[in-house]
Each structure stands twice: as structure tokens, then as C-alpha cells.
Amino acid sequence: MEQYELEHIELLRKLAPECMVLLKSDGSFPMEAPGKIALYGSGARRTIKGGAGSGDVNVRAFVTVEQGLENAGFAITTKEWLDAYDAEWQKARKVFTSEIRDRIAREGMSAIMLGIGAVMPEPEYEIPMEGEGETAVYVLSRVSGEGSDRRVLPGDFELTQTEIRDILHLQKHYAKFLLVLNVGGVVDLTPVAEQVGNILLLSQTGMTIGDSFADVLLGRSYPSGKLASTWAVWNDYNHVGDFGEPDDTYYKEGIYVGYRYFDSADKKPVFPFGHGMSYTDFQWNTGNAEANGTEISVTAEVKNTGKLPGKEVLQLYVSVPAGKLDQPYQVLAAFGKTEELQPGESEKLTLSFDIRSIASFDTETACTILEQGDYILRLGSSSRNTEAIGIVRLDGNAVVQKLSNSGGNPGFVDWKPEAPRIPAAANLPVLTVHAAEIPQIQQVQPSIASEATELAKSLTDEELAYLCVGGFKDEGSNSFIGNAGMQVAGAAGETTSILLNRGVPNLIMADGPAGLRLAREYGVDENGIYTLDSGSLDAIAELLPAPMLAALGLANKPERHGEVFFQHCSAIPIGTALAQSWNTALCEECGDLVGREMERFRVHLWLAPALNIHRFPLCGRNFEYYSEDPLISGKMAAAITRGVQKHPGRGTTIKHYCCNNQETNRMYSNSHVSQRALREIYLKGFEIAIRESDPATVMSSYNLLNGEHTSQREDLMETILRQEWGYDGVVMSDWVTPGFGNATRKYAYACAHGSIRAGNDIMMPGGKLDHTNILSAMAAEGNPYPITRQRLEKSAARIIELAWKLGGTQDG
Ligand code: BGC
């Protein structure tokens, strides 16, 4: 291993426990020393380090739970059980793979995604559980990935009969029992949650997962994460809106997503948003609130009152007064995490927010507003464990920002609770904020450097069109998703290189978000690079029939020849796990690590972070995303972006803008969303990330929003992003390969001319058809999406500016 790999492993091993959440604890853990241990469950040996799809990172190796325990000196007494489970899994996998292969052969290209993200439900089996030792650990795993949503079935969202039986057996028969959840999202734990005394959400914390787990088990480290999304039973989520419909999905629940719903409707989740225990105990005082202009801050002293070291997270929620607009019971306004506190030690935490950040969107006036009334501040350690500590009294109505009616019309009025839970607040200290003194947020106009504009103006139409399409080889325009890179093996794509002689470098893009996704091994010969080991992509290739493999250029694996190189990247915790740390500094460190690897492997743009909202727990890509809460999503995305962009020549791509909250029919699915929910839930994280970290690029999403593809909506691309938020970076499409077109669906796929016309600057991964489409939209009358030369020049200028900024610093 090289030095950088060792350093990254050391760093990740230390960070991972912060992302783990102790859901239940009866004090039996941590253990004092390694000894005999009975290890069971699907994730014990087949540990999942991260999810599947373009978010999967191809590492040299990673440490499973079984290996981690052995590395730490445990004697695993259940090797036979683990072998027998393996055999059961292989058997089930064979059946599952052949089903998928048949379906792909039957349905063609559009079914390829099945191979990436389809979840094989856990099989049922009977294997005797006779491991020695007084301690048992059961590791339950689940995986999901892009292209498919999870299902409410045993072995996926629900537990199988086998899992329930085995977990309850262990709880009864071992003196100490820990249920470990090696999952990327919610699992319905109700059949066991009451009985089991110790539950650790290990999550999917990257390449050191097994060693980090052993550290936590032995108290050499400790879990200090909190849930960033509510864990509940499927039927208890707000089902007034639907999920997973292939063509039209109605977000009728409006702003009542996640804890905003559970708290307002007073519904008890299994584990609430923000929940997480510790090996030790903490207490904090009620906190001292202050208002300074629009800035509200609460300072509280947190003390470790237990016997072991730990870190605590304090969460500040606000109950916004309902008036013209209905309001959820509370919204998260700020959070903070202590440093490590030794027993008896304390730390002062100050949580601050600008009152304008909790303004609501009033569709009638197209403004964000703060209504007159009492804003109750609640401080606590989960959404269900808060105490009202003060009131901010706003003495009048205030307009925070004049915006626009953008995003279209969903065709319904948002749901709101009939009898909402009323926030109570008596005898609390009051801070007064004068509405008349609240400054309105003004729009900032983005600018493009004049040299870039001049160069764009000097280019031919043909050249401009090349710039607005990802670099492609003329033959074979069906670049495969996640694998269209030509200069860096396993990169997802790149910008054109046809202007190299005019001083415009081309930019290389590689996926994330759980690290940098590249091929593991490649060779170089007289024709350029060829891939030898593309990692997880090879596994997908096994599912494809021969003609499809050929069409995608994956047919014949080359023999090793020429010079051979390796690209060993590190897998960091998945997005959801990072959010569970509630630690923006930790996210920034992970971004810094990714930035270093981007420099090493000459990647300019990281196609991450991904910050779509956990609208429902079944979205197949939730593990890549952070949270059901836009503040957490935005703060984490901003922090990881700062980490990456510390490195000159490296940028992030925040994705998928926007309302890409399901995978079912993801390229043609129409999200119907009200303007208020759009602004307050689905766009807010993007806005925070842009304002706080200025990411180099934004990726539009596959789906439609209120009847039009997001990349084809000028109001999303220009009005909101550029005019309202002042964003001056580049917007790229998601990997829209017309080869995946599915004529049988209600909506067509997004097209290059429609997207460029709306202000989506570049079509990725790019192909001949995109180039042709753009040129013909400039030329032909009657084209549905006519494009002017000025429009193309503007996008080209943005791309040139970015290429100069990032591409000027080639290294590695
Ligand atoms: C995914 C993106 C990813 C792109 C390139 C698409 O299928 O939706 O998140 O960045 O492929 O691999």
C-alpha cells in the first residue's frame, strides 16, 4: 500500500464511529477486552461498505466486520454458521441473477439499471446457532442502488422471519447481545426493537468499517452519531402523497416531510429524527438566548456526567407561528457538536441562525416571509427530546426576499394537518426582533469573465455545440453511465478536448459520493488507455446479454498489455452516514481526502455531493443522500465542497437538482410539487450549499418537475439558480444517454436542445446525437426548442471559464 492509502485509512478509521448511531443501549457495551464472540447475520462477512451503482467506490480492499473483529483479537466461534450463510446467499443470488438477466434480455437497455440497483431480498433459511461465548453480535445488512427503489417486503424494508427468529433467540440466549445494522437506510425494526437491549446503527461507513466497528465494540472509540432521518414503520409515514409511481408522483404532503410530519401530527416514530445515544451521559443547561440583528444564538454548557468519554450534539429547533401560512410543529434551525468530553468535562456550545433562514415561501406574493408572532426556541438532543427555552417575538410581518413564482403548478393544494399539535410556551424569556429592521435579501447578478465571453464569440456554431456536449468519440454515442471517461479509466465523463489548441483544457469528471469512483486497474497502449479492472462495473457486465455488452463497448476484456497502472481510491462513509455525524468539520475532512485523491488521479470534478431529500425511506439512492432535513443536507454538502475545493483545480458537482426523490422510472418520472414545498424542502439544501461553498458545478436531475424535465426548466436553471441565488458556475445534465430512451413511457427523455435552451450548460456524458440536436435547433425553423447563438455562447463562456479555472492546474 502506498503512504496516502495508509494515511487515509487511519483517518477514516478514526472518523467512522462519529457516523454510527447507538439507537438503544442497556449499558452492556462497550466490552472490556476481546475474547470469544458469536458472530451472526448477513453483514458479518458480506459487510456492505457503501451502496451500489455510480455511488459505489472501487477500493483495493476493505475490512469486513468479521475481519475487523479478528484483527482486534476476537475469536469468532461461529465460523460454521458464517460458511452456511454464505452457501445460502450464493444459492439465492444465483436465482436472483438469472431472473435479472432474463428481464434485461426481455426489456432491453432500459432494464440495465435493474442490474445495478435491484435489491435481492434476504433469503429465509435455518442454520443452527450454537456459537460459544457470552457475547453475541448479529449484523443485519441491506443494500440498494440507483435505478431501483426499495420495497416494503421481508428482506428489504422489513425483517425476514429468519432474521426476527434469530435476533430474538440471541437476545434470549446470550448474556450480552448487540444488534448491528449495516444498512444505508431505514429498516422496520418493530418486531424486535422492544426486546433487544442494544442496537447500533453501524451504517455503511466505508473501507475501515470492520476495524472501526471493533474499536467501538471495545470502547477504543465510541458512536456519537444521531439520526438524520426519522425511522418509522412504513404505514406511519405521511402517505397523503404517493411514492414510486412510474409516471406521475404527487408530493401532496407539501412541507410535511419527515419529522415535520411526525411532530406536527404527533405520531410516534420508532426512532425520531436527531436521536442517538452514547456510552456516557450528558446534561446541558437551558441555554442563554440572544438576538443580534437578525442573528439568534443560544449558548448552552454541555457536561459529560457519565463514566466514559463521548461527544454530544445539541439541536436547536424553532416553532414558527402559523398565520397566513400553516407551519410544522418545529423546524431545525441550528446544531452543534462538542469536542470529545472526558467524564466530568464540559464545553460551551453556541448555536446560531439568521431568522431569515426560517422564512416561509408565500406563493400568493412570491416572497419569503416571516409572520408576526412568537417564535419558540427549543433546545434538545432529538426532535422528540426538546425543551422550550425562549421566545423570539417578531413585532410585525417582514418580507425576507422577493422571489418569483417558479417551478410550475402541481395541480393540487398541499395537505396540512387538520388538528396540528400546538407548540406551548409559558413563562419563557422573550427577545424582541423588530420586523421593520429586518433587511431584505437582495439578488446578486452572476458574472462571466469577459475573456471567456470573447473566446466564445469567436467560435463557430459547431465548436460552441461541441463545448456544450461532453467529450465523446464519434463512433458509438451510447456512452455507458458512470463509464464515459476517455482519459482517466473509470471516470464518468469529460468535457470536450476539441479546443485544446485554443487553450481550453478538458475537464475530467468522476463519481462519488462515497469517495472517488475510478477503475481499479488500467493499461496504456498506442491507442490510449484501456480498462483492466473496472470494479463494480464488471459485476454488472456479467448480467448483460452479448449484443448489449458489445453496444456498450464492454464485450471483450482486453488482455493485459502495455504499461499497467492502478488507481486505489478510498471509500468514505455514505452520505447518510456523514450526515449522522452532525459534524460539518468531519465532512470537510472527508472532502479534503477526496480532493487529495482527485489531484493524484487528475480528476477535476467530483460528481458529488448528492443532496436530494429523504422524502420516503424507500428511495433506492437515499444512502447517497444526507437527510430528510434541508438544513442538514445543505450544511453537509457545503462542508464537503469546501474540503474538496480547498484543492486548486478541483470542484464538486452538487446533484441532482431537483426533486429526484425516487428511482422508479427515474428518467421519465414527473414530480408534482407545490412551489412552497419546492422552495422550503427540495431547493433549500441546494441554496445553502451554493451560498456557503460555491460548488463549481450543479447537476440537473433526470426527472420532470411539474410536467417538464428539470434540465429543460428555465425557471430552475436561470431564474432561481442564477438570478435569485447568484450562481455563476456550470450546470450539467445527469447522464442522459438517448440510448436509454423508453418510447413506451408517458413522458419523453430530456433532450440536448431543450436543456441547453433552458440554461443547462452541458449535456453529459455527451454523444453525437446531442451535438446534432443542438445544431439543428439553431438552424431549423419550427424546432420545438429553438436555440439562439447568444444562448449557446453564454453556456460556452461558462464552460470555458470553468475549464480555465480548474484545468489550468493539471497535476498528479
Ligand atoms: C447518476 C449520476 C451519476 C452519473 C454518472 C447517473 O446515472 O444519476 O448521479 O453522477 O450517472 O455516472
Side-chain angles (χ1 to χ4, degrees):
M1 261 196 230
E2 291 192 48
Q3 189 57 28
Y4 80 93
E5 293 180 83
L6 295 171
E7 283 166 17
H8 288 179
I9 285 173
E10 192 187 332
L11 177 69
L12 291 169
R13 180 166 178 173
K14 189 181 87 196
L15 297 183
E18 281 218 33
C19 306
M20 300 176 192
V21 185
L22 189 59
L23 293 171
K24 274 189 88 175
S25 166
D26 64 10
S28 323
F29 295 93
M31 295 173 73
E32 269 168 18
K36 282 187 181 167
I37 195 160
L39 178 66
Y40 300 97
S42 48
R45 181 174 287 168
R46 310 197 73 89
T47 309
I48 314 285
K49 72 172 191 323
S54 64
D56 191 7
V57 173
N58 301 314
V59 292
R60 183 200 283 269
F62 76 98
V63 186
T64 65
V65 169
E66 182 184 16
Q67 288 161 347
L69 292 180
E70 285 180 338
N71 291 346
F74 281 96
I76 295 171
T77 60
T78 48
K79 288 286 188 182
E80 269 176 44
W81 191 97
L82 295 174
D83 292 343
Y85 173 77
D86 246 359
E88 291 290 344
W89 189 89
Q90 298 289 3
K91 212 162 68 190
R93 185 75 199 171
K94 232 177 172 169
V95 177
F96 180 72
T97 311
S98 89
E99 278 168 15
I100 297 267
R101 209 179 280 159
D102 287 352
R103 199 165 152 199
I104 293 177
R106 231 177 21 247
E107 295 178 18
M109 286 289 204
S110 58
I112 285 184
M113 279 301 149
L114 275 177
I116 306 181
V119 174
M120 177 183 94
E122 268 299 304
E124 303 278 4
Y125 48 83
E126 209 153 320
I127 310 174
M129 308 186 89
E130 292 158 348
E132 272 179 58
E134 64 162 25
T135 306
V137 166
Y138 187 97
V139 187
L140 181 128
S141 71
R142 293 289 188 265
V143 73
S144 71
E146 68 183 296
S148 297
D149 285 315
R150 299 177 56 203
R151 290 178 298 168
V152 186
L153 288 178
D156 193 345
F157 189 78
E158 295 175 342
L159 302 183
T160 63
Q161 287 310 313
T162 304
E163 288 168 337
I164 298 170
R165 180 200 63 213
D166 290 353
I167 290 167
L168 295 179
H169 171 87
L170 296 175
Q171 173 65 31
K172 209 157 136 202
H173 288 91
Y174 286 82
K176 290 178 173 192
F177 172 58
L178 178 63
L179 171 61
V180 174
L181 307 172
N182 174 213
V183 301
V186 183
V187 178
D188 177 357
L189 291 179
T190 36
V192 300
E194 284 281 309
Q195 292 96 312
V196 175
N198 299 284
I199 307 178
L200 174 74
L201 172 56
L202 173 65
S203 194
Q204 296 171 345
T205 43
M207 68 199 295
T208 63
I209 185 164
D211 284 333
S212 300
F213 170 66
D215 291 344
V216 163
L217 194 65
L218 288 168
R220 295 175 184 162
S221 184
Y222 46 84
S224 65
K226 305 264 178 187
L227 290 180
S229 285
T230 306
W231 276 47
V233 178
W234 174 246
N235 284 339
D236 284 352
Y237 287 86
N238 190 354
H239 288 290
V240 60
D242 49 31
F243 174 83
E245 293 298 322
D247 296 323
D248 294 282
T249 302
Y250 294 90
Y251 290 38
K252 287 191 186 160
E253 72 285 354
I255 57 169
Y256 296 91
V257 175
Y259 71 89
R260 284 168 167 77
Y261 168 70
F262 282 91
D263 292 347
S264 307
D266 210 0
K267 244 196 171 128
K268 196 167 174 281
V270 182
F271 298 111
F273 173 82
H275 169 75
M277 301 174 73
S278 179
Y279 284 162
T280 188
D281 298 308
F282 294 98
Q283 277 174 11
W284 53 91
N285 57 26
T286 45
N288 178 24
E290 273 178 49
N292 188 358
T294 55
E295 183 88 357
I296 312 294
S297 43
V298 172
T299 303
E301 185 152 8
V302 185
K303 184 169 184 189
N304 181 347
T305 55
K307 293 195 174 65
L308 290 171
K311 294 186 181 185
E312 179 60 308
V313 173
L314 282 195
Q315 306 161 27
L316 181 62
Y317 298 82
V318 181
S319 299
V320 175
K324 178 180 179 188
L325 303 180
D326 54 296
Q327 295 293 349
Y329 179 73
Q330 59 185 355
V331 295
L332 184 71
F335 56 90
K337 189 168 190 171
T338 65
E339 298 295 330
E340 175 168 298
L341 295 179
Q342 295 300 329
E345 231 185 317
S346 38
E347 182 183 329
K348 262 193 186 153
L349 277 185
T350 300
L351 313 185
S352 318
F353 67 98
D354 188 317
I355 193 165
R356 293 174 297 179
S357 70
I358 54 168
S360 305
F361 184 74
D362 175 27
T363 313
E364 191 189 38
T365 59
C367 292
T368 42
I369 59 168
L370 286 166
E371 295 194 72
Q372 177 175 3
D374 285 354
Y375 292 67
I376 305 166
L377 304 174
R378 335 181 77 88
L379 186 68
S381 61
S382 87
S383 62
R384 286 301 166 107
N385 175 25
T386 60
E387 189 193 350
I389 58 150
I391 287 174
V392 176
R393 184 158 292 158
L394 186 66
D395 63 2
N397 294 330
V399 170
V400 167
Q401 191 173 8
K402 291 194 173 125
L403 298 165
S404 57
N405 283 112
S406 295
N409 186 345
F412 56 81
V413 175
D414 280 350
W415 175 89
K416 58 183 177 193
E418 259 168 42
R421 186 166 155 215
I422 304 293
N427 304 325
L428 293 174
V430 175
L431 301 167
T432 303
V433 171
H434 301 297
E437 290 168 12
I438 294 185
Q440 261 185 39
I441 299 174
Q442 304 300 328
Q443 299 186 4
V444 226
Q445 278 309 313
S447 63
I448 306 173
S450 56
E451 301 81 34
T453 309
E454 266 166 46
L455 177 56
K457 282 190 194 309
S458 75
L459 300 175
T460 64
D461 287 0
E462 176 110 340
E463 286 170 329
L464 286 175
Y466 269 117
L467 263 179
C468 295
V469 175
F472 61 95
K473 292 190 190 122
D474 263 356
E475 75 283 5
S477 58
N478 283 336
S479 319
F480 188 55
I481 284 178
N483 194 32
M486 293 177 286
Q487 298 194 16
V488 173
E494 52 194 68
T495 58
T496 186
S497 52
I498 64 140
L499 289 178
L500 286 177
N501 60 357
R502 307 279 300 265
V504 184
N506 72 324
L507 301 176
I508 316 287
M509 309 168 181
D511 262 308
L516 193 62
R517 176 180 165 83
L518 293 175
R520 259 192 305 237
E521 194 183 347
Y522 69 97
V524 182
D525 62 16
E526 59 286 1
N527 301 318
I529 61 163
Y530 68 91
T531 299
L532 280 164
D533 174 1
S534 66
S536 48
L537 207 60
D538 287 345
I540 298 157
E542 278 168 21
L543 296 170
L544 307 181
M548 223 179 266
L549 275 175
L552 294 166
L554 298 172
N556 298 315
K557 266 216 123 180
E559 289 296 317
R560 187 183 286 252
H561 64 280
E563 244 191 304
V564 169
F565 296 92
F566 296 92
Q567 304 180 113
H568 291 128
C569 298
S570 308
I572 65 173
I574 56 169
T576 305
L578 289 176
Q580 282 164 190
S581 74
W582 292 62
N583 184 345
T584 51
L586 179 147
C587 279
E588 196 167 325
E589 263 187 281
C590 286
D592 191 20
L593 177 156
V594 171
R596 284 195 293 273
E597 294 191 357
M598 290 168 75
E599 281 175 352
R600 171 171 292 268
F601 299 116
R602 304 171 70 195
V603 172
H604 301 102
L605 284 167
W606 187 41
L607 302 177
L611 62 150
N612 295 98
I613 290 290
H614 293 170
R615 175 176 173 249
F616 275 106
L618 295 187
C619 172
R621 288 184 91 175
N622 270 359
F623 71 95
E624 294 187 52
Y625 309 148
Y626 294 114
S627 170
E628 66 190 21
D629 178 75
L631 176 74
I632 298 226
S633 305
K635 290 279 182 193
M636 297 299 161
I640 206 159
T641 294
R642 283 194 300 270
V644 169
Q645 297 193 165
K646 250 182 214 163
H647 299 263
R650 318 297 138 191
T652 62
T653 303
I654 58 171
K655 69 186 186 185
H656 310 88
Y657 179 75
C658 60
C659 299
N660 186 176
N661 305 98
Q662 71 179 47
E663 288 298 289
T664 304
N665 195 33
R666 63 180 173 155
M667 291 183 187
Y668 316 94
S669 127
N670 184 8
S671 303
H672 294 258
V673 189
S674 74
Q675 291 183 15
R676 181 173 179 201
L678 180 68
R679 299 268 186 180
E680 291 183 29
I681 305 289
Y682 300 102
L683 292 183
K684 194 165 180 176
F686 286 93
E687 181 176 6
I688 293 171
I690 284 173
R691 289 192 195 276
E692 295 189 3
S693 67
D694 195 19
T697 58
V698 170
M699 187 190 290
S700 54
S701 56
Y702 281 135
N703 55 286
L704 300 90
L705 169 66
N706 294 324
E708 183 64 270
H709 278 280
T710 57
S711 60
Q712 302 188 171
R713 287 204 77 106
E714 201 173 347
D715 51 8
L716 283 180
M717 298 297 129
E718 293 292 342
T719 317
I720 294 184
L721 199 54
R722 274 134 183 167
Q723 289 163 24
E724 293 177 2
W725 302 347
Y727 182 63
D728 57 7
V730 166
V731 182
M732 68 176 79
S733 71
D734 198 347
W735 267 229
V736 186
T737 47
F740 284 99
N742 183 350
T744 61
R745 296 260 58 115
K746 177 169 172 188
Y747 299 104
Y749 60 82
C751 60
H753 39 322
S755 305
I756 302 292
R757 179 185 154 84
N760 179 104
D761 303 304
I762 178 164
M763 291 308 286
M764 291 304 300
K768 184 119 192 88
L769 184 61
D770 297 330
H771 190 251
T772 313
N773 278 346
I774 294 173
L775 287 177
S776 45
M778 291 176 79
E781 290 213 352
N783 189 294
Y785 298 106
I787 303 179
T788 61
R789 195 182 141 93
Q790 288 77 355
R791 178 77 277 292
L792 212 53
E793 280 172 3
K794 209 169 176 182
S795 284
R798 285 194 197 112
I799 295 161
I800 293 171
E801 200 181 347
L802 184 70
W804 284 343
K805 187 170 158 198
L806 302 184
T809 43
Q810 285 283 7
D811 55 9

